[in-house]
Amino acid sequence: TPKDELIFAAQKINDLVQKQGLRYRDIAVVSGNVETYGNYVEQVCKKYQIPYFLDTTKEVLFHPFIEFIRAILQVIENDFSYNAVMRLLRTGFCQLEEAKIDKLENYLLATGIRGASMWNKRWLRMPKNEKSYNIEELEATRQQIMKDFVPVLEVYQKKTTVEERMVALYKYIVSLNIEKQLFEREKELLAEGQQTKAKEYEQIYRIVMDLFQKCVAVLGKECLSIRELEEILDAGFEAAKVAVIPPGYDSVTIGDIERTRLNHVKVLLFLGVNEGIIPKSVNQGGIISQYER
């Protein structure tokens, strides 16, 4: 299996380093299907204590910041349903402590509160087991959430253009100081030695802002439904990828046989030399066949 091959490669790498005096940077691992092997790289290299650089581009669709933007639209589209609200708060960008979110979640489940009208007025309803709820604290949490969210809600509840809606999203992001939050998380990841994840956090804000600008440039004066805008943004997020820059320290490069550039490598391990992958099978139709070519 791909995992078995990686384990064999890891054992070979440690043997080369410990017994033959090579540096990790002298060794590279390549494959014709780096996506499959990439699923096991972190687990195997951590077990064998091998510093590595995985040379691949990563999709950003499930990044917490992307999830946050999608959740904003879902909250408005689903009229503050329990699932949509919790999806938004659990991304961690709304500047609420986990303990407050937990208490709010229990309160929403106990009372069944939903809808913009209920979220826009003072909370007084108490569940049967009222001793376990501090209504003043919950009301303060509601006010904190709605203070920044109301301007976005007002824009999306009216018939507005794509430009007005993207500006409202941008202002909400600025009001929560998310660029700084992403920068702080990047620093934490660097301190933990997670260079790859840190690079994701470094690039994600610019990727999102570029997509917002493109939406305004192409569709700015159009009036779209929330669902249509969601589909357009999702298409942009699915196409976006973050490029990871190699770290400067001693590490094994793991990459793709076609795109990874390798300089001064003394040992090359080639994984997955399987039929259909090396050489790659061509499934697309054409005027002439692969054989004729």
Side-chain angles (χ1 to χ4, degrees):
T1 66
K3 187 178 178 182
D4 291 334
E5 284 186 274
L6 268 174
I7 289 170
F8 174 81
Q11 292 169 343
K12 186 70 177 172
I13 289 165
N14 277 344
D15 186 63
L16 290 166
V17 171
Q18 292 163 13
K19 296 181 181 176
Q20 297 188 35
L22 269 71
R23 304 286 297 273
Y24 287 112
R25 65 182 178 219
D26 296 330
I27 306 165
V29 180
V30 293
S31 169
N33 185 10
V34 74
E35 290 79 14
T36 299
Y37 290 89
N39 294 326
Y40 307 103
V41 165
E42 184 177 1
Q43 179 188 351
V44 172
C45 287
K46 189 175 181 180
K47 179 182 177 183
Y48 288 90
Q49 298 181 324
I50 296 171
Y52 69 93
F53 163 63
L54 184 60
D55 182 22
T56 183
T57 54
K58 291 194 68 176
E59 293 183 356
V60 300
L61 189 60
F62 300 107
H63 190 282
F65 185 35
I66 304 297
E67 187 69 5
F68 169 77
I69 293 165
R70 297 165 83 194
I72 296 168
L73 299 178
Q74 192 183 48
V75 167
I76 300 167
E77 186 182 16
N78 296 349
D79 195 22
F80 285 78
S81 71
Y82 160 77
N83 287 333
V85 170
M86 295 317 301
R87 181 186 180 189
L88 177 68
L89 299 181
R90 293 294 183 193
T91 60
F93 289 109
C94 293
Q95 299 180 326
L96 281 174
E97 298 89 349
E98 282 293 321
K100 285 187 177 180
I101 296 173
D102 291 340
K103 290 175 184 175
L104 179 67
E105 182 174 14
N106 291 335
Y107 180 73
L108 293 177
L109 286 170
T111 58
I113 284 176
R114 67 163 292 165
S117 59
M118 294 294 292
W119 274 84
N120 262 324
K121 64 184 180 185
R122 184 178 179 82
W123 282 351
L124 299 169
R125 187 187 301 180
M126 289 294 286
K128 291 177 183 177
N129 185 17
E130 59 183 62
K131 289 182 182 177
S132 62
Y133 297 96
N134 183 335
I135 194 67
E136 292 303 322
E137 184 183 342
L138 289 163
E139 171 59 18
T141 303
R142 180 199 71 80
Q143 289 178 15
Q144 185 180 344
I145 294 168
M146 295 306 289
K147 174 173 66 75
D148 296 311
F149 199 87
V150 164
V152 187
L153 186 63
E154 289 174 346
V155 169
Y156 278 78
Q157 283 179 331
K158 296 182 285 190
K159 189 177 180 181
T160 47
T161 64
V162 168
E163 182 174 2
E164 290 169 314
R165 293 187 167 193
M166 299 314 291
V167 168
L169 273 181
Y170 172 71
K171 286 180 177 178
Y172 183 48
I173 290 167
V174 170
S175 71
L176 293 174
N177 213 355
I178 286 179
E179 187 174 14
K180 185 180 178 183
Q181 290 189 53
L182 291 167
F183 177 67
E184 293 296 331
R185 182 61 183 142
E186 179 199 340
K187 286 200 298 184
E188 288 171 14
L189 290 165
L190 282 172
E192 294 166 8
Q194 298 189 51
Q195 279 85 359
T196 302
K197 271 201 167 298
K199 283 293 176 187
E200 288 180 38
Y201 276 81
E202 180 191 347
Q203 298 172 62
I204 193 69
Y205 190 81
R206 176 183 51 77
I207 287 170
V208 170
M209 292 302 114
D210 283 351
L211 180 59
F212 281 13
Q213 288 175 351
K214 285 172 183 172
C215 284
V216 171
V218 176
L219 300 164
K221 303 307 176 189
E222 299 286 331
C223 291
L224 303 178
S225 68
I226 295 175
R227 176 56 58 87
E228 288 170 330
L229 186 59
E230 275 182 308
E231 289 172 356
I232 288 165
L233 288 175
D234 276 353
F237 293 143
E238 283 175 13
K241 294 180 185 293
V242 291
V244 182
I245 300 167
Y249 64 94
D250 191 21
S251 61
V252 174
T253 298
I254 303 171
D256 183 89
I257 188 63
E258 291 184 2
R259 64 177 294 274
T260 301
R261 295 180 182 181
L262 300 170
N263 297 319
H264 313 300
V265 169
K266 295 176 182 176
V267 176
L268 182 68
L269 298 173
F270 197 168
L271 305 183
V273 187
N274 302 331
E275 188 177 353
I277 297 175
I278 302 295
K280 211 170 261 185
S281 59
V282 181
N283 297 321
Q284 295 91 346
I287 296 171
I288 58 175
S289 68
Q290 186 69 16
Y291 174 78
E292 289 168 331
R293 247 186 225 103

